[in-house]
Amino acid sequence: MRPAHIPSRYRLGHVHPGEVAAVLAFLALILAALAAAAGLLLGLPPLAGVPLPARLGIYGASLGGLLCIAYGTLVEPWTLEVRRVEVRSPKLGGPVRLAHVSDLHMRRWTRIEERVLAAVRGMEPDAVLVTGDFGANPTVADDVRRFVRELAAIAPTYCSRGNHEYRGHCPMESLQGLGATWLVNAKARVRAQGTTLDVVGVDAGDEAAVRSLEGSLEPGVFSILLYHYPDLVPELAGLAYDLMLCGHTHGGQVRLPWLGALICMSRPGTACSHGLFQAEGRTAHVSRGIGCESYLLPRIRFRCPPEVTLIALEPGPPSATDAG
């Protein structure tokens, strides 16, 4: 099954020139420092007259850069953070525990997948909600299917389709029949702990379906939208859903001190890179996700570790808190 609409991943509006310029400037700075250090070590003529304080500064910057690269490729991509978000609503009849998982971008079975499954089991969730992008490029499809099967064995699992589920390396069709429920522009009625929830899953980029499915919601039932892109977070107040769960940005993957994420490839840009957002009694949570962009690139995360999130729903006046 292929959607008729064009996934918004491929719309030029998601490529912000300022973000691209920031990434290129950051890479140019790193390469310049490394090239200067290499030139000093090799004794190249243009750098022969550099004074000692400047030499030490160049060596220090290069060494710091190399240490950051080593940490960002060898340590942080494998360091899972379990976060807790508390959401209150008078529509809830009792406490409900939901696990939010996003952007696995699985290449093959590794220790990060084991840690994710262990973390979700430890949450003892009433349901698991996944906002797309299970596979990567390249990927071992059998390993992705194993992960979906084991995740769905923990608790009822509901998935929406991310932009990677449109692609041939691990499409949604290959992940069916594994215990998870795929919501393809559809709603599921979920009952847990005496509370009724409406969980709506919409294909990445199909904003028309986000709007049209609002008509299926019942005013007294707490509703959750699974939508891969955070593009609609700035419009949260105008949506009918009580809670929107998103991913896609990976939190930027690389977050610099004071500057934060450099690029997120989403319409709101880095303003909605990750975290909790609220407006008019409605809540959105954008996950940093688990995996990294692939395409034969090394895994890299810096000051932006992978995360899974426990969404604790509680009865009460509308509010939301990031409990860390």
Side-chain angles (χ1 to χ4, degrees):
M1 181 188 342
R2 295 283 175 180
H5 63 279
I6 300 175
S8 57
R9 165 72 171 176
Y10 306 109
R11 297 177 189 166
L12 292 179
H14 283 200
V15 181
H16 299 279
E19 294 183 7
V20 175
V23 171
L24 293 177
F26 176 60
L27 292 176
L29 184 63
I30 292 176
L31 292 175
L34 293 176
L40 288 173
L41 289 173
L42 295 173
L44 297 181
L47 298 170
V50 174
L52 180 60
R55 287 173 175 264
L56 293 177
I58 292 172
Y59 287 141
S62 300
L63 178 59
L66 289 174
L67 290 175
C68 288
I69 291 171
Y71 170 78
T73 55
L74 302 177
V75 179
E76 190 163 301
W78 315 99
T79 305
L80 183 68
E81 183 174 292
V82 179
R83 300 194 62 80
R84 177 185 173 94
V85 168
E86 297 174 358
V87 179
R88 295 184 180 274
S89 172
K91 297 180 182 181
L92 298 165
V96 179
R97 298 167 65 87
L98 306 172
H100 181 202
V101 178
S102 192
D103 295 274
L104 186 69
H105 284 271
M106 186 174 180
R107 308 179 190 197
R108 58 182 177 81
W109 194 272
T110 67
R111 61 186 182 276
I112 192 65
E113 284 76 30
E114 294 283 359
R115 289 171 179 172
V116 170
L117 291 170
V120 174
R121 289 189 191 100
M123 293 177 181
E124 298 183 344
D126 298 299
V128 179
L129 306 180
V130 186
T131 46
D133 280 10
F134 277 101
N137 184 18
T139 191
V140 179
D142 286 343
D143 286 351
V144 182
R145 285 191 282 269
R146 173 188 169 187
F147 181 88
V148 174
R149 187 181 296 110
E150 293 195 19
L151 186 68
I154 297 172
T157 299
Y158 302 87
C159 310
S160 67
R161 182 157 53 175
N163 53 292
H164 274 254
E165 274 75 53
Y166 292 114
R167 300 175 180 177
H169 45 269
C170 198
M172 179 199 71
E173 291 80 359
S174 69
L175 302 178
Q176 295 191 18
L178 301 173
T181 299
W182 284 89
L183 298 176
V184 181
N185 296 350
K187 181 181 76 173
R189 177 61 57 88
V190 178
R191 293 180 174 83
Q193 306 297 333
T195 293
T196 298
L197 308 172
D198 277 341
V199 178
V200 176
V202 175
D203 283 346
D206 196 347
E207 293 181 10
V210 171
R211 301 292 186 179
S212 65
L213 285 165
E214 289 180 316
S216 69
L217 303 178
E218 297 181 23
V221 177
F222 189 88
S223 57
I224 303 172
L225 171 65
L226 309 182
Y227 187 62
H228 184 66
Y229 297 130
D231 295 358
L232 296 175
V233 171
E235 304 172 37
L236 187 60
L239 298 176
Y241 304 94
D242 297 294
L243 174 63
M244 178 167 62
L245 301 182
C246 310
H248 181 65
T249 66
H250 305 184
Q253 280 194 203
V254 174
R255 301 181 64 86
L256 301 182
W258 303 291
L259 296 178
L262 296 180
I263 188 168
C264 286
M265 296 296 291
S266 66
R267 196 161 64 221
T270 57
C272 298
S273 62
H274 76 107
L276 198 62
F277 302 86
Q278 301 175 68
E280 301 295 330
R282 295 175 175 84
T283 304
H285 178 257
V286 182
S287 173
R288 293 196 303 260
I290 305 223
C292 304
E293 290 293 352
S294 45
Y295 305 103
L296 302 178
L297 298 171
R299 296 176 186 259
I300 184 165
R301 280 182 177 265
F302 185 74
R303 302 184 73 247
C304 188
E307 73 171 21
V308 292
T309 307
L310 171 63
I311 309 288
L313 304 181
E314 300 279 353
S319 67
T321 305
D322 187 340

